[in-house]
Amino acid sequence: MSKIKWLSNVKLETGERLLENGTVETETAIFHLKIENGKIVEQLYVNEPIPSGQEVINMKQRLALPTFKEMHNHLDKTYMTLDWKACTPVANLKERLAFEAAELTILSDTAQQRATKMIETLLENGSTHIRTHVNIDPYIGLKNLEGVIAALDTFKGKVTADIIAFPQHGLLRESVPTLMREAMRSGATMVGGLDPAGIDNAIEKSLYEVMDIASEFNADVDIHLHDGGFVGYYTTDKWIDIVKDAKYQGRTALSHSFCLGDIPVAQQKLVASRLAEEDVAIMSTIPINLGRVIPPIDLLDDHGVKVHFGCDGFYDSWSPYGTGDVLEKATRFCELTRKIDEKSLRNSLKWVTGGIVPLNADGHKVWPNIQDDASFVFFEAASSAEVVARKPSDRLVMIHGELV
Amino acid sequence: MSSLLIKNARLETGFIYENTRIVGTETSLYDVLIKEGVIVEVEKNIPQSSYEVLDADGKLLMPSFREMHIHVDKTYFSGPWKACKPITNGILTRIEEEQVLLPTQLPYAQDRAENMIQWLISQGHTHIRSHCNVDPQIGTQHIELTKAAFKKFEEQVTYDIVAFPQHGLLRSKVEPLIREAMRMGATLVGGVDPSVIDRDIDRSLNLTMDIAVESGKGIDIHIHDPNSLGAFEFYKLAELTNQAYKQGQVTISHAIALGDLHGTELEEMVSALAEAKIDVTTTVPINRPTIPIPYLHENGVSVSIGHDSLTDHWSPFGTGDTIEKLSLLAQRFKYIDEYSMNRCWKYASGGIMPLSDKGEVVWPQKGNLANVLLLDAECSAHAIARRRPITHVVSQGNLVFHNGESLKKEVLK
């Protein structure tokens, strides 16, 4: 049975105009959208009547934007729902991992409860897709994976997810390759990896192992790469070779990739072209701690590399900060790179929507279209530029025509 | 002024140790009695008597905030959305823009100033220092309207008005207007980049100090000039400050150059500023080197924070949320443990914190001004890390804000 309803008085971006003083203004108009089976099937102008006798939800001229994609998180690590606890300072990554190892078995009992709270927080803020890394390690095996899958199961139909088997404590040690394969058979949907130089101390072997598992299960890949400078650069370059050989174009991503910010611009351009060619995406959490270099996102974008933002794990043993609002990452990125005009603010929405924006670079409407999912975040705002600059906290999230 | 008894407020009482490391903040519930705008008693159980009672219900009581750098007179806040015009001619783009824009905004500038003040109060600020344009187009009209706006909030917030020659003290020939602004009640003499704008560092700084001396007031000057140029100006200003006996009355806003200096250069600079008792205000920018805030504090230069803009023709960003700002500051300096996050509050409260560095209770005490916040938080580190909400604001003993929802919906734009 098909379910029909109308969303009345929806504000959509329709174009742009150039003002005399040289600034661009986004044009919007009000529409009524007909929703059938969770999809947009018809669009009326505001002055056209909605057929009587059908369910109508009045959106009161709120601006509809695409829902967000949270592309880098660790649902299994958060302390959410537990007592407040700050982090323990450590001297280096090794100590941090040792500290985490000591906590893992205690925390794994509450994995589902903690992950559920994190998913709720992300969803409230407008994310309807979550890419989560989940620890697969010798201490807890698949316990966190079970908790995260159970938590995500209760959001079926609302939240889609990538569940990445993540060898946080090293891929090449002891039982981990076996555990990783077990994880892939137990509900993980993607293969993760971590610092082939810094953690695994075997760049090629680590990368090949990741690709072996991925090929074995026909799964996509997302590798954490914190290794800085040229060792990170080489790792990236080598990974591109492996992707090319395995014909894995469009199926892999590198997370963080600080190294791309460390290398000279000429090299950045070179690697950007190669990333684009093999369609390797870059995930960034837009860190702002002093001294932290981030990848040259605008340059990557100019070369056609797909870039996505994520909140990263938070309220956990790594970081006491965070909000669960991936839109804030777009705001912060604009602040960081001084994007202050309508067009550049507007275009920056794509980093948190998986590339979807209402207007293309020329200011022509490209979203939403008939047959698109009726999934939106609604804001009381004049344009997506305002949303990116002001990150309004009042929002309504709609998935397949249903308000969350 | 009446009395107010805050029952069951959570106060920070010490640090919790695991071996030698601080792992938490100890808190305990107290009653706080306020009379005539001053805290007169902090005890476990104060009889209700005939006082007006506010039950804090275990919420955390902390010193209120001071917004130390904002421009309430020229804002888009509470008005329709407008992005910024791309910059084509450096800072002059904005000055040219202001010559047209500010006269256009005059009819509603006071209204927006009031909305912004109200919003800042709801965000826990009980003192606001606003820079206020004095320029050839606007004359002293912004001083007038800023005074009128603050007057409406007299019981709720104290303030400073900085007479700010945005278009250059020399360049736009506003010396007589600045002197007039001081006579009208501006409480500080402002200034901006004496090199870039006035093209005459010596004359610009000297004249600024002359006006300060004549009016018997202090100075708060915007200096964005980087590295050696900024440093040169800071030394000049320190020298003038000492000569004029204005120690403790001079602020450098932004002081971007401090983020560029290192080693002995930074040490010498900081000791010159400390000697002249010059303080610094920062917005904790993320798009340029943030000044070494903890280092400055440890070496005798006090640091305050401000939001600068909550959306205007200079910047589309800014929230007025100082908890968020403290969170950013702490994150920027990689503070992740209880103790270092606990030590951040002072940058937003004029130096006031419940605990000393050693963990002794130093606030609130009998005789302290009753400028306090209640927060839905377990301790200040928790509030900063997880950006916990402010539920009540008490200014000079008056409850001036409670229940975040109503105000938030009205003016969040």
Side-chain angles (χ1 to χ4, degrees), chain B residues 353-399:
Chain B
M353 289 195 289
L355 300 177
S356 71
D357 287 351
K358 289 179 180 155
E360 301 135 341
V361 176
V362 291
W363 184 94
Q365 305 260 340
K366 191 176 165 177
N368 289 152
L369 279 181
N371 292 330
V372 307
L373 310 178
L374 292 178
L375 299 110
D376 188 1
E378 293 174 32
C379 57
S380 53
H382 178 231
I384 289 171
R386 299 194 180 182
R387 301 195 206 167
R388 302 299 301 162
I390 293 166
T391 59
H392 297 75
V393 182
V394 173
S395 177
Q396 302 154 55
N398 304 307
L399 181 63

Side-chain angles (χ1 to χ4, degrees), chain A residues 21 23 84 86-89 96 288 290 315 320-321 323 328 336 338-342 383 386 390-391, chain B residues 21 81 83-85 94 286-287 310-311 316-318 324 330 332 334-338 378 385-387:
Chain A
N21 68 3
T23 59
W84 158 249
C87 299
T88 305
R96 173 62 67 217
I288 45 93
L290 278 173
Y315 302 168
Y321 303 105
T323 59
E328 185 173 311
L336 198 63
R338 300 174 193 231
K339 297 182 187 6
I340 60 171
D341 63 293
E342 184 81 10
S383 66
E386 179 180 5
R390 310 300 302 156
K391 58 180 173 78
Chain B
R21 197 173 76 74
W81 160 251
C84 299
K85 203 175 143 175
R94 292 290 173 244
I286 58 167
N287 55 9
L310 313 187
T311 178
F317 310 112
E324 182 179 329
R332 199 135 169 79
K334 304 178 191 127
Y335 294 158
I336 59 169
D337 64 300
E338 183 83 14
E378 293 174 32
R386 299 194 180 182
R387 301 195 206 167

Side-chain angles (χ1 to χ4, degrees), chain A residues 125-136:
Chain A
N125 283 301
S127 289
T128 57
H129 181 83
I130 300 170
R131 172 172 289 196
T132 180
H133 298 255
V134 181
N135 265 41
I136 302 298

Side-chain angles (χ1 to χ4, degrees), chain B residues 194-195 199-206 229 232-233 236:
Chain B
S195 63
R199 317 285 303 162
D200 192 334
I201 298 171
D202 268 323
R203 262 185 70 214
S204 181
L205 289 178
N206 271 299
L229 179 56
F232 179 80
E233 291 167 331
K236 283 275 169 196

